[in-house]
Amino acid sequence: AALPSLLACLAVLLLGRARPGDACSCSPIHPQQAFCNADVVIRAKAISAKEVDSGNDIYGNPIKRIQYEIKQIKMFKGPDKDIEFIYTAPSTAVCGRLLDTGGKKEYLIAGKSEGNGKMHITLCDLVSTWDSLSPTQKKSLNQRYQMGCECKISRCLSIPCFVSSSDECLWTDWAMEKTNVDGRQAKHYACIKRSDGSCAWYRGMAPPKQEFLDIEDP
C-alpha cells in the first residue's frame, strides 16, 4: 500500500511545483518496513539548508529542492561513503520533508541513495527524532530489522484479520489503537524470519535465538 502513495508523491515531485489541490499523502508503514525499503538509513544532524536548482521539469521550469548539509553520526544501512547532503522537495505539499537545522536535533533518517555522499527523502520516508525512538527500535537498527527484510508486514485495518502466508506478520497497531500507527508493535516488535522459513513477531533487547517459538520479552 505504501508503493502507490510513494509513486504519487514522485509524480508530483516531477512537476517541480505545487498547484491548487496538490497534496502529498502517505500510507502508514512499520519502521522495519521503512528500514528494509530504504537504500540508506542513518543517524544524523542537519547543519544547514539552502534551496538549489535540480534541472528542469517537462515544461522547462526549474525544479527546486532543499539541500541539507548534514553531520552523519552513524550509518545503519547504506554505502561505504558517509552521507554529506540530503535533498528533498521544497514543501510538504510536494512531499518535501523539513528538518530542523543548527545541529542540535538528531534524526533517524531513511531514504534513497543518489550516490556520491547524497540521498533523497520524501514525506513518506521514515524520519524521526532520535529521542522519540524506543530502546527496542534503536537496538533493532543494528541487526534485527535486517533479519526480517524477507518477511512481509501486513497492516490490519480492523479486527479480525488473518495472515495469508507463513512469511507474514500482522501489524495491528492501526486496528487496536485506532489512528495510532506508532503503537506497541511499531515501538517494541520486529518481524523475524525463523529457521523453518516462517516469520513471526519478536520482542526483546537481546539478539533473537536461531529458533524461537513466539514473542519473547526482555
Side-chain angles (χ1 to χ4, degrees):
L3 182 59
S5 294
L6 181 57
L7 292 175
C9 285
L10 294 176
V12 175
L13 284 172
L14 289 174
L15 295 179
R17 57 183 180 177
R19 299 171 302 194
D22 282 343
C24 181
S25 61
C26 308
S27 297
I29 185 170
H30 190 279
Q32 181 177 355
Q33 283 179 295
F35 176 94
C36 293
N37 292 344
D39 297 326
V40 183
V41 182
I42 58 173
R43 178 182 177 183
K45 298 178 180 181
I47 305 301
S48 64
K50 66 178 181 180
E51 190 173 78
V52 296
D53 290 331
S54 184
N56 297 318
D57 64 19
I58 58 176
Y59 304 108
N61 301 307
I63 299 173
K64 300 290 185 179
R65 294 200 298 177
I66 301 298
Q67 174 186 279
Y68 289 105
E69 181 183 358
I70 68 160
K71 179 182 179 181
Q72 179 179 305
I73 299 169
K74 184 172 182 177
M75 179 174 288
F76 299 101
K77 181 181 181 182
D80 294 334
K81 181 179 176 61
D82 284 357
I83 300 299
E84 300 176 4
F85 298 101
I86 293 177
Y87 294 87
T88 192
S91 74
T92 56
V94 285
C95 293
R97 188 76 182 209
L98 305 182
L99 303 177
D100 286 343
T101 56
K104 294 183 178 180
K105 186 174 291 187
E106 295 184 9
Y107 292 96
L108 174 69
I109 304 172
K112 301 301 181 185
S113 173
E114 292 194 352
N116 198 28
K118 302 174 183 178
M119 65 182 291
H120 181 85
I121 59 172
T122 73
L123 198 63
C124 299
D125 291 312
L126 174 62
V127 178
S128 300
T129 57
W130 185 255
D131 290 342
S132 71
L133 301 177
S134 70
T136 303
Q137 286 175 318
K138 293 176 182 178
K139 190 78 172 179
S140 297
L141 291 166
N142 290 312
Q143 180 185 10
R144 196 179 306 151
Y145 281 165
Q146 186 65 49
M147 291 173 62
C149 281
E150 295 181 9
C151 299
K152 178 183 179 182
I153 299 176
S154 299
R155 182 160 49 100
C156 175
L157 297 176
S158 61
I159 300 296
C161 49
F162 307 95
V163 295
S164 58
S165 62
S166 62
D167 64 347
E168 184 178 358
C169 292
L170 279 179
W171 181 30
T172 60
D173 284 348
W174 183 272
M176 300 297 291
E177 305 181 36
K178 302 308 177 185
T179 57
N180 180 21
V181 295
D182 193 24
R184 184 179 180 185
Q185 285 179 318
K187 285 188 170 294
H188 304 296
Y189 290 77
C191 182
I192 304 297
K193 191 168 187 176
R194 300 189 288 193
S195 59
D196 64 359
S198 65
C199 296
W201 288 115
Y202 175 86
R203 176 182 176 177
M205 292 298 293
K209 301 173 184 177
Q210 186 174 3
E211 294 186 19
F212 66 96
L213 296 177
D214 203 346
I215 298 165
E216 295 188 2
D217 289 313

